[in-house]
Amino acid sequence: MKDAVNFGKFQDPFVTAKGDTRAHVPLSDPQTLWFNTGTLCNIECENCYILSSPTNDALVYLTADEITDYLDQLEDRNWGVREIAFTGGEPYMNPEMNEMTRRCLERGYDVLVLTNAMMPMQRKKVKEGLLELNAAHPGKLTMRISVDHWSEELHDKERGKGSFGKTITGMEWLSENGFAMAVAGRTVWGETDADSRQGYADLYAKHGFDIDANNPGMTVLFPEMDETVEVPEITTDCWGILNKQPTDVMCSNSRMVVKHKGADAPSVIACTLLPYEKEFDMGRTLEEAEKSVQLNHPHCAKFCVLGGASCSA
């Protein structure tokens, strides 16, 4: 959906509202293949970009066999991917999550899991499976925990009362059992980057978490995706003006697999942020997903090109 504040913009995939050539991004160096395990989540955040909740199953659970099919395609297409990443919803709502992780690790991939580390992950059977996976594949599995703010007050404002404490409990278990951890936070709170990172550093020190608050790959602070804000369209001239390259943008090195409710098979999406936009659904196979991506959405400008964000490690 292109918001009214950007009326007239982001209409033609190839030409901007001013008649300039729209920028596009080739898939030049695929490094990460994302899987959205399903939009169901144990909580409902105040501003979830994908609208995850305990009732939203717009993206249904992927299965381990569907994951295997895409792992086979990776080899067939020689993509050179180093990392498989899982997001949701909450991935540990999916009953096959540990099996999907196992199949990726056994192929030699690094695996990144985005989780809130709350009750779905903390179930006994899930934890037993995680311990087995981490022991069998040391250094290959990273858990990126959603901690929207380093303070309990603001984190719970976004995620609901009591969520901060439950997440910290999950992180303590992960830390005590030797899991590699990272954190995903938000920049919506009006703090400077330095103040925000200091807050996270203090939180990590308090709990003994081995996470570097000043490493953007370990403490990832995402700009907010607000479609009520007017943003410029990105043209081919913008690369030089901004001193950036198409290779700086996430869709140059990643794709995401989703399964829409009612679909008989998964499909490949250009961007993790746009799972519902038909224009960014590239087809069912990785071969089809090798096409260039036209930067024809406000998120392309605000989040990726101007915000400089990347969901990958």
Side-chain angles (χ1 to χ4, degrees), residues 112-115 142-146 182-184 217 220 222 311-313:
L112 175 68
V113 182
L114 277 56
T115 175
T142 298
M143 310 292 278
R144 183 190 288 170
I145 319 302
S146 298
V183 157
V220 189
F222 288 112
C311 294
S312 300

Side-chain angles (χ1 to χ4, degrees), residues 9 79 119 215:
K9 298 181 180 179
W79 271 25
M119 294 314 296
N215 181 339

Side-chain angles (χ1 to χ4, degrees), residues 76-141:
D76 292 342
R77 301 303 300 170
N78 294 313
W79 271 25
V81 158
R82 63 172 179 82
E83 175 187 61
I84 302 297
F86 292 96
T87 186
E90 167 51 46
Y92 291 102
M93 296 282 284
N94 187 317
E96 296 191 41
M97 183 59 206
N98 277 344
E99 175 62 17
M100 293 190 288
T101 304
R102 182 185 67 79
R103 295 190 186 191
C104 297
L105 289 169
E106 288 183 347
R107 297 279 188 114
Y109 293 107
D110 293 335
V111 173
L112 175 68
V113 182
L114 277 56
T115 175
N116 57 37
M118 295 173 72
M119 294 314 296
M121 190 206 76
Q122 294 180 38
R123 288 173 293 170
K124 181 180 178 181
K125 187 174 182 180
V126 173
K127 290 198 292 186
E128 288 174 350
L130 282 170
L131 289 171
E132 292 174 3
L133 291 168
N134 202 44
H137 305 277
K140 300 292 286 183
L141 174 61

